Amino acid sequence: VEEEIIEIPDALTIDEMLSSSDPDAKSIISYLHSRGIDEDTAYRFRIMGSIYGRLRRRVIIPSFDKDGVINYWTARSTERDAKYRYVNPKINRKSIIFNEIDIDWNREIVVVEGPFDMIKAGVNAVALLGSTLPQDSLLFQRIVENKTPVTIALDNDALSKSHKIANALYEFNIKVKFLEISKEKDIGDMTNEEFLKIKNKAYEWNPINKL
């Protein structure tokens, strides 16, 4: 598949949406509030919203590499009956790290599945854009290069994949902590305070845990 040239989509900033009378812009703001994302958080993660074309009524979360160059974006529909929940650019996701610009590799990182999980996980969290971490991915390589400690916090339905990621990192002598998420609530539906509370229960992973 021919990869797209990544550019910031034609979208409105939070300021523009807040001051707009357009019903699509109001719908996006309302959706963010329903997900527990206030204006300060939206600014922090550079969240935008589209009222145009194929991305209409979608929350846009852009990603930037370590040099501040856009390398990806994801567009989440605010409508329950949308045919596609997410629209993303066609690019090999193993070649990018979502918002590496925000990551301090000298501190522990929290690995989560999606951008909304990343927002709720707070400082120094990184989204896999899925539930796997291939060894030939840029994220895996960066972790190994920097010997960065990792807390794995994938949703409950990805438990076996979480153990697989932990085992792969463990084999490279990376300190891994494991966080088991309850079936009742995914990370993206938590508040930042709720996630921090369960994060404190993370335990150090070793191969016996996989058994």
Side-chain angles (χ1 to χ4, degrees), residues 66-98:
K66 61 184 177 63
D67 297 315
V69 178
I70 187 164
N71 60 3
Y72 197 76
W73 51 263
T74 185
R76 210 290 186 189
S77 176
T78 61
E79 299 178 326
R80 290 184 179 180
D81 59 349
K83 185 177 181 181
Y84 300 106
R85 184 179 297 179
Y86 284 94
V87 173
N88 305 306
K90 295 177 181 177
I91 187 172
N92 181 2
R93 287 180 289 187
K94 291 193 295 184
S95 66
I96 65 109
I97 297 172
F98 197 88

Side-chain angles (χ1 to χ4, degrees), residues 14-71:
I14 288 297
D15 280 338
E16 290 171 331
M17 286 191 288
L18 287 171
S19 61
S20 175
S21 60
D22 188 289
D24 292 339
K26 290 181 178 295
S27 174
I28 293 168
I29 293 295
S30 177
Y31 176 80
L32 289 173
H33 287 166
S34 74
R35 297 293 301 265
I37 299 173
D38 59 19
E39 283 72 35
D40 288 341
T41 303
Y43 284 125
R44 162 71 178 79
F45 289 97
R46 301 169 287 273
I47 293 175
M48 307 175 74
S50 178
I51 59 173
Y52 314 109
R54 72 185 183 110
L55 300 183
R56 178 174 169 264
R57 286 205 173 200
R58 289 181 178 272
V59 175
I60 311 295
I61 305 179
S63 166
F64 299 87
D65 68 15
K66 61 184 177 63
D67 297 315
V69 178
I70 187 164
N71 60 3

Side-chain angles (χ1 to χ4, degrees), residues 80-134:
R80 290 184 179 180
D81 59 349
K83 185 177 181 181
Y84 300 106
R85 184 179 297 179
Y86 284 94
V87 173
N88 305 306
K90 295 177 181 177
I91 187 172
N92 181 2
R93 287 180 289 187
K94 291 193 295 184
S95 66
I96 65 109
I97 297 172
F98 197 88
N99 272 334
E100 185 177 6
I101 192 173
D102 295 328
I103 300 299
D104 180 356
W105 299 107
N106 295 315
R107 299 173 54 197
E108 177 189 81
I109 64 169
V110 179
V111 172
V112 296
E113 292 184 46
F116 280 93
D117 300 329
M118 177 193 71
I119 291 170
K120 297 304 178 68
V123 177
N124 234 39
V126 59
L128 295 177
L129 303 174
S131 54
T132 61
L133 181 56

